Amino acid sequence: MTEYLQKAKEAKSVLASLSGETRNKVLYALAKGLRDATPEILEANKVDMEYAKDNKLSASMQERLMLDEKRVEAMAASVEVIAGLRDPLGRVLDGWSQPNGLKIQKVAIPIGVIAIIYESRPNVTSDTAALCFKSGNVAVLKGGKEAVNSNNAIAKAMGQVLESFSLPKEIISMLPDSSREGVMNLVKMDRYVDLIIPRGGESLIRAVCENATVPVVKHDKGVCNLFLDESADADMSISIAVNAKVQRPSVCNSIETLLVHKNAANRLLPLLKAAFDEKNTVLKGCDKTLGIVSVAQVTEEDYYTEYGENILNIKIVESIDEAIKHISKYGSGHSDSIVTENYRNAEYFLDSVDSACVYVNASTRFTDGGEFGFGAEVGISTNKLHSRGPMGVDDLTTYKYKIFGSGQVRG
């Protein structure tokens, strides 16, 4: 582990010497490398899918794990989008002159060696590698055991491209010791690693945060909520609610609880029930909900739960304030939305809900690096420092101060 991370740290200087134009040239080659390696990647993914079925992994886990030609093409296209983004490095973030004549610039630079620990989705391997490369960072990748063959095939294809440019393979590489002990060792390697980004299940996030001496930006669970205000349009409410839950239930930006204002409940709930029944959604409701539509009984614990399945809680609330209090108590600070025709309530919700992404009249499913124009994201941060929400190339930079003098000394 130490020798491997030493080489990763040494690779920082090689990557830092590359111009933005060269980094983009390599990224376009990485995209081509993924396309050329599609047969090998899909063959490796078949092995992982067999493992998933044999070990009875959940349907949502298998959906995230599965690759086909369309998904590999999307991975390659994402790398090309990242290549086309503006260069995040060397940007002058601020600049000023002091009375003594010193000229000071605040300039964006790479963070350094970034270790990304993730589960299930193989596209995370190429997305995070490309984002790190674009922003001048070395990527140390640790995927889940359920996707080991897919991840290794993707990393191999990208490594071959790096070699063709005479670049160190450590710039993009899979962690050689993928055991739990290896990961717990990695998160303490603050001499070599500058940042840890864990994304995955609650137990993974907790284990990393409790053991790391390296700084951590966590990408925690997504307990997202949608509030239908009393003025909510029925057609819009149904469209957004169904999309936010059903379009891809396994992902972190799908909703887990639907909050409905008491004055809209009788009007909206029967329509919503019919729409979700068509999608085979399992609905759970509070006592007041059960008085209007026939669904299962929700529990207190359900409101804290990230299902990752086509399951949805419904709760009737007295007011917008009760909806906001519910989100504050049970939500994870990820993504929450309101459907309303009331401008004042929209602004109040936007200002009062303390989540990374807060929407008005739109699905939470848009919390995504690609949808935000970032090409992809390393993850969706529920931290408040130093990054929040979809984490793109700009969030993988820090800064230094460059000070220009003309002989000044301090008296």
Side-chain angles (χ1 to χ4, degrees):
M1 176 75 77
T2 300
E3 182 181 355
Y4 163 75
L5 291 176
Q6 281 178 331
K7 290 181 179 179
K9 186 174 181 179
E10 290 166 3
K12 285 198 304 185
S13 59
V14 178
L15 187 49
S17 69
L18 302 181
S19 66
E21 183 180 355
T22 299
R23 277 182 276 119
N24 289 341
K25 185 177 180 181
V26 175
L27 284 166
Y28 284 116
L30 288 171
K32 182 178 185 301
L34 289 172
R35 291 189 176 99
D36 291 345
T38 297
E40 292 79 9
I41 293 170
L42 295 183
E43 196 62 35
N45 186 249
K46 284 181 183 178
V47 179
D48 290 331
M49 291 301 296
E50 288 173 6
Y51 170 88
K53 291 170 185 174
D54 290 344
N55 287 270
K56 296 181 172 56
L57 298 188
S58 68
S60 60
M61 183 75 83
Q62 292 189 42
E63 191 276 334
R64 292 195 293 267
L65 177 60
M66 187 273 294
L67 291 177
D68 54 22
E69 288 189 5
K70 184 177 179 181
R71 286 191 174 184
V72 177
E73 171 57 32
M75 288 159 52
S78 177
V79 174
E80 291 176 333
V81 172
I82 292 167
L85 298 174
R86 69 172 185 178
D87 191 345
L89 303 180
R91 291 177 295 126
V92 178
L93 305 174
D94 203 352
W96 64 94
S97 297
Q98 289 294 91
N100 61 8
L102 287 177
K103 292 180 172 56
I104 302 173
Q105 289 184 345
K106 183 178 180 181
V107 181
I109 62 169
I111 291 172
V113 176
I114 299 178
I116 302 161
I117 305 168
Y118 53 101
E119 297 175 340
S120 191
R121 290 164 58 191
N123 67 292
V124 175
T125 302
S126 56
D127 283 351
T128 56
L131 288 164
C132 284
F133 191 87
K134 176 75 174 185
S135 53
N137 295 289
V138 171
V140 174
L141 307 172
K142 163 59 178 78
K145 65 180 180 181
E146 70 285 346
V148 63
N149 295 287
S150 305
N151 290 335
N152 285 338
I154 294 165
K156 180 181 178 181
M158 301 184 92
Q160 289 171 343
V161 173
L162 293 178
E163 288 180 2
S164 72
F165 282 86
S166 300
L167 295 172
K169 62 182 180 181
E170 288 80 14
I171 288 176
I172 299 172
S173 61
M174 303 301 298
L175 185 71
D177 183 356
S178 60
S179 66
R180 178 180 174 82
E181 292 74 20
V183 173
M184 290 302 102
N185 189 19
L186 170 69
V187 301
K188 297 181 185 298
M189 288 288 189
D190 46 53
R191 182 176 177 183
Y192 306 105
V193 181
D194 299 293
L195 181 66
I196 299 282
I197 302 176
R199 50 179 290 178
E202 192 172 359
S203 60
L204 167 67
I205 305 294
R206 186 185 306 113
V208 171
C209 291
E210 289 176 352
N211 290 279
T213 58
V214 179
V216 176
V217 175
K218 64 181 181 179
H219 295 246
D220 215 340
K221 65 181 182 179
V223 180
C224 305
N225 302 269
L226 173 65
F227 171 50
L228 306 182
D229 195 17
E230 61 181 319
S231 65
D233 176 78
D235 290 340
M236 185 185 293
S237 297
I238 294 166
S239 174
I240 290 175
V242 171
N243 179 264
K245 177 72 258 185
V246 175
Q247 197 255 348
R248 200 172 178 191
S250 64
V251 293
C252 61
N253 55 25
S254 66
I255 59 169
E256 311 298 352
T257 295
L258 181 65
L259 303 167
V260 183
H261 194 286
K262 65 175 184 180
N263 294 341
N266 286 313
R267 174 171 61 93
L268 296 179
L269 283 182
L271 300 174
L272 288 161
K273 172 71 163 54
F276 280 115
D277 282 349
E278 287 185 8
K279 302 296 184 178
N280 298 313
T281 306
V282 176
L283 298 176
K284 301 181 180 181
C286 66
D287 290 338
K288 292 179 181 178
T289 299
L290 268 62
I292 300 174
V293 291
S294 178
V295 297
Q297 177 75 54
V298 73
T299 67
E300 173 88 0
E301 187 60 31
D302 289 335
Y303 292 131
Y304 290 106
T305 302
E306 181 182 23
Y307 291 115
E309 305 279 355
N310 193 12
I311 305 170
L312 181 66
N313 307 318
I314 302 176
K315 182 180 180 180
I316 295 175
V317 294
E318 295 291 310
S319 64
I320 187 173
D321 286 309
E322 186 182 346
I324 292 168
K325 287 178 182 177
H326 177 100
I327 292 168
S328 176
K329 180 177 180 179
Y330 299 102
S332 61
H334 191 294
S335 302
D336 300 288
S337 181
I338 181 175
V339 177
T340 184
E341 297 297 307
N342 186 310
Y343 176 81
R344 182 174 295 179
N345 283 358
E347 288 295 320
Y348 183 60
F349 189 87
L350 288 172
D351 293 339
S352 302
V353 173
D354 186 16
S355 296
C357 300
V358 189
Y359 294 83
V360 174
N361 295 337
S363 170
T364 56
R365 285 284 290 113
F366 287 103
T367 300
D368 175 273
E371 296 294 336
F372 275 33
F374 302 159
E377 86 268 334
V378 174
I380 298 169
S381 170
T382 51
N383 271 29
K384 293 189 178 180
L385 297 174
H386 78 282
S387 173
R388 205 173 188 201
M391 195 171 177
V393 289
D394 289 341
D395 297 301
L396 296 178
T397 65
T398 182
Y399 55 83
K400 68 166 67 170
Y401 291 100
K402 294 183 177 181
I403 302 98
F404 300 87
S406 53
Q408 289 90 337
V409 295
R410 186 169 179 176

